[in-house]
């Protein structure tokens, strides 16, 4: 209506509305269109590595997958058959040790960061350290554990590998746990304080249970990352062709096999059998990590 | 949108660089482990992290000391890069908070 009046009121009869349709071949819209397609292509390209790796692993690793591969000991040079049972056990043991160290430590630190002194100097420094530590090259965790544990105890061992992995897990656990504790509604905490709870009771009975799904998600992600790490284990746990339990006696203070190191060692060997086993072990490892990731997603989605 | 997020994107870029600097295993398997400096990008070379991974398991006492020095250098380099990345992200965050 306004437009019509404007046209009528204008002194010259030549007033015309500009063309409101934008031509597709206009320079501006052409550029926009090309960039639009570009972002789509980039988003799809980003998915390709995951799927190509998965397909490759399923084809090459699936060929060798069998019960004996999952339960037997690694083969020696020209031996046929064999498996990587001790490596699965070793990975589980070392990730278990790492979790025992990093989870309580990480959660307690997160409680401090989120509840006791969120704005204190210590909290700022801790947060900064944790963030920087997430970018720590994993090999340096191995060097640290080598110097701190292997050199002092005099032997490559499962605890040394566990400590190296714990070093990589702690920052992830701290940061995710802190985030999920911050999400606990203030009202709930204030209600608990109003009931006469001490600070510890508030944390123990209100904050921790409410934040638990988020905390567990963080722990699972940290575990998934640790399970796939090779570099920290190379010279802390080394590798072994034998079970941790020998002659009915459990001895963790000895070189320990792990899936990641087995893949690394065997893939470089000139024997067909070992290379096939490395593929199968990769499939198992990727399957475990993927499963852990999916579980953590399920937990965090169900509770949010 | 891009100008607003530029600081965060740049910070993430620097952190990504820090990760790539310390990446070990992918390089240890592919880089060729040859201790020489050449101008060619396609000849075998070495990185600090790969050097550590490949030589540490068989190192003697003296070699261990040398490798420890390499580890310190790697630590310093990655630490500097990561701190810069963190600083950019924190800085951009606080700037937005003020507005």
């Amino acid at each position: 209506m306004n437009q019509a009046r404007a046209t009528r009121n204008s002194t010259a009869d030549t007033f015309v509305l500009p063309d409101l349709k934008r031509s597709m071949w206009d320079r501006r819209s052409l550029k926009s269109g090309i960039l639009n397609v570009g972002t789509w292509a980039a988003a799809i390209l980003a998915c390709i590595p995951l799927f190509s790796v998965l397909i490759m692993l399923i084809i090459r690793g699936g060929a060798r997958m069998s019960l004996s591969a999952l339960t037997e000991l690694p083969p020696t040079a020209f031996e046929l058959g064999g498996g990587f049972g001790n490596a699965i056990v070793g990975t589980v043991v070392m990730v278990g040790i790492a979790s025992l160290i990093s989870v309580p430590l990480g959660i307690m630190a997160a409680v401090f960061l989120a509840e006791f002194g969120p704005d204190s100097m210590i909290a700022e420094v801790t947060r900064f350290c944790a963030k920087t530590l997430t970018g720590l090259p994993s090999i340096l965790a191995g060097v640290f554990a080598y110097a701190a544990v292997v050199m002092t105890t005099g032997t490559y061992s499962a605890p040394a590998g566990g400590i190296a992995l714990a070093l990589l897990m702690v920052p992830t656990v701290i940061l995710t746990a802190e985030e999920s504790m911050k999400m606990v509604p203030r009202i709930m905490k204030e209600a608990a304080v109003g009931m006469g709870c001490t600070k510890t009771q508030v944390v123990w009975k209100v904050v921790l249970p409410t934040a638990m799904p988020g905390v567990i998600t963080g722990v699972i992600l940290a575990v998934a990352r640790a399970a796939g790490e090779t570099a920290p284990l190379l010279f802390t746990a080394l590798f072994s062709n034998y079970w941790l339990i020998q002659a009915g006696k459990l001895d963790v203070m000895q070189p320990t096999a792990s899936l990641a190191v087995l893949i690394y060692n065997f893939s470089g060997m000139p024997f067909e059998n070992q290379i096939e086993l490395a593929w199968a072990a990769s499939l198992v490892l990727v399957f475990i990590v993927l499963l852990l990731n999916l579980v953590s997603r399920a937990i965090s989605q169900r509770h949010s | 949108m891009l100008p607003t997020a530029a600081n965060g994107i740049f910070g993430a870029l620097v952190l990504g660089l820090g990760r790539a600097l310390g990446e070990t295993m992918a390089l240890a398997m592919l880089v060729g482990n040859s201790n020489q400096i050449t101008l060619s990008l396609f000849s075998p070379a070495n990185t600090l992290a790969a050097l550590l991974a490949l030589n540490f398991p068989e190192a003697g006492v003296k070699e261990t000391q040398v490798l420890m020095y390499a580890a310190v250098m790697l630590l310093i380099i990655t630490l500097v890069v990561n701190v810069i990345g963190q600083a950019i992200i924190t800085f951009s965050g606080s700037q937005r908070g003020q507005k």
Side-chain angles (χ1 to χ4, degrees), chain A residues 114-115 118 178 180-198 201-203 206-208 210:
Chain A
E115 297 302 321
E178 192 208 346
S180 57
M181 281 177 204
K182 270 195 206 150
M183 306 273 273
V184 176
R186 227 188 137 77
I187 311 168
M188 287 173 73
K189 290 180 222 162
E190 277 165 3
V193 175
M195 302 274 286
C197 284
T198 61
Q201 281 173 320
V202 174
V203 168
V206 176
V207 176
L208 273 182
T210 322

Side-chain angles (χ1 to χ4, degrees), chain A residues 117-129:
Chain A
D119 301 317
S120 64
M121 189 72 188
I122 304 175
E124 291 292 333
V125 173
T126 310
R127 248 178 237 128
F128 183 77
C129 288

Side-chain angles (χ1 to χ4, degrees), chain A residues 219-251:
Chain A
V219 169
I220 291 177
L221 285 180
V223 165
R225 186 182 167 203
E229 283 290 358
T230 318
L233 299 178
L234 270 180
F235 40 84
T236 51
L238 216 64
F239 188 70
S240 149
N241 277 326
Y242 308 102
W243 297 103
L244 272 179
I245 299 176
Q246 270 169 31
K249 207 169 66 189
L250 177 70
D251 179 18

Side-chain angles (χ1 to χ4, degrees), chain B residues 28-97:
Chain B
M29 291 174 99
L30 297 176
V31 81
N33 188 38
S34 134
N35 293 320
Q36 53 177 358
I37 298 176
T38 56
L39 283 177
S40 164
L41 279 177
F42 294 98
S43 57
N46 217 336
T47 68
L48 278 173
L51 176 86
L52 286 173
L54 292 165
N55 294 332
F56 225 111
E58 291 118 28
V61 177
K62 250 219 173 102
E63 232 184 328
T64 308
Q65 291 170 352
V66 177
L67 290 173
M68 284 289 184
Y69 184 69
V72 170
M73 291 322 286
L74 180 63
L75 179 67
I76 291 173
I77 294 172
T78 49
L79 217 59
V80 166
V81 171
N82 279 324
V83 167
I84 291 174
Q86 274 318 327
I88 292 174
I89 287 181
T90 335
F91 175 69
S92 65
S94 67
Q95 213 179 26
R96 207 169 305 143

Side-chain angles (χ1 to χ4, degrees), chain A:
Chain A
M1 255 242 322
N2 271 338
Q3 290 289 349
R5 196 179 301 147
T7 322
R8 213 183 306 138
N9 289 353
S10 62
T11 44
D13 284 357
T14 51
F15 189 92
V16 255
L17 271 177
D19 188 12
L20 288 179
K21 278 222 176 108
R22 201 187 285 159
S23 154
M24 228 188 76
W25 305 108
D26 187 19
R27 230 178 115 212
R28 213 158 54 108
S29 49
L30 200 67
K31 197 169 151 196
S32 166
I34 290 173
L35 279 180
N36 242 328
V37 174
T39 53
W40 272 89
I44 293 169
L45 267 178
C47 300
I48 287 182
L50 173 66
F51 285 103
S52 72
V53 165
L54 266 185
I55 290 168
M56 190 83 176
L57 281 179
I58 289 170
I59 291 173
R60 300 201 61 163
R64 188 57 207 278
M65 198 52 76
S66 62
L67 192 65
S68 70
L70 292 175
T71 52
E72 280 175 20
L73 286 176
T76 49
F78 288 100
E79 205 180 329
L80 292 175
F84 40 81
N86 65 338
I88 296 178
V89 174
T91 293
V92 171
V93 167
M94 279 188 283
V95 172
I97 294 173
S99 308
L100 277 183
I101 300 170
S102 64
V103 171
L105 190 72
I107 292 181
M108 282 198 287
V111 166
F112 178 82
L113 290 186
E115 297 302 321
F116 287 84
D119 301 317
S120 64
M121 189 72 188
I122 304 175
E124 291 292 333
V125 173
T126 310
R127 248 178 237 128
F128 183 77
C129 288
K131 278 178 187 164
T132 320
L133 211 58
T134 49
L136 181 85
S138 52
I139 188 103
L140 290 180
V143 174
F144 169 76
Y146 178 85
V149 186
V150 176
M151 275 182 163
T152 48
T153 58
T155 171
Y156 298 106
S157 61
I163 287 170
L165 292 180
L167 212 63
L168 294 170
M169 287 174 67
V170 164
T172 317
V173 176
I174 291 183
L175 293 175
T176 49
E178 192 208 346
E179 277 312 309
S180 57
M181 281 177 204
K182 270 195 206 150
M183 306 273 273
V184 176
R186 227 188 137 77
I187 311 168
M188 287 173 73
K189 290 180 222 162
E190 277 165 3
V193 175
M195 302 274 286
C197 284
T198 61
K199 252 187 165 174
T200 315
Q201 281 173 320
V202 174
V203 168
W204 197 246
K205 299 200 165 143
V206 176
V207 176
L208 273 182
T210 322
M212 207 31 97
V215 175
I216 290 174
T217 304
V219 169
I220 291 177
L221 285 180
V223 165
R225 186 182 167 203
E229 283 290 358
T230 318
L233 299 178
L234 270 180
F235 40 84
T236 51
L238 216 64
F239 188 70
S240 149
N241 277 326
Y242 308 102
W243 297 103
L244 272 179
I245 299 176
Q246 270 169 31
K249 207 169 66 189
L250 177 70
D251 179 18
V252 289
M253 296 308 286
Q254 60 172 343
T256 310
S258 58
L259 277 174
V261 177
L262 178 130
I263 294 166
Y264 174 67
N265 283 347
F266 277 17
S267 64
M269 282 189 180
F271 309 110
E272 199 57 37
N273 187 28
Q274 264 81 349
I275 294 176
E276 279 174 7
L277 273 180
W279 279 105
S282 313
L283 184 63
V284 172
L285 189 55
V286 165
F287 183 71
I288 294 174
V289 172
L290 220 61
L291 199 73
L292 287 175
N293 273 309
L294 290 178
V295 168
S296 80
R297 276 187 74 106
I299 291 177
S300 62
Q301 262 169 12
R302 190 192 300 168
H303 291 270
S304 64

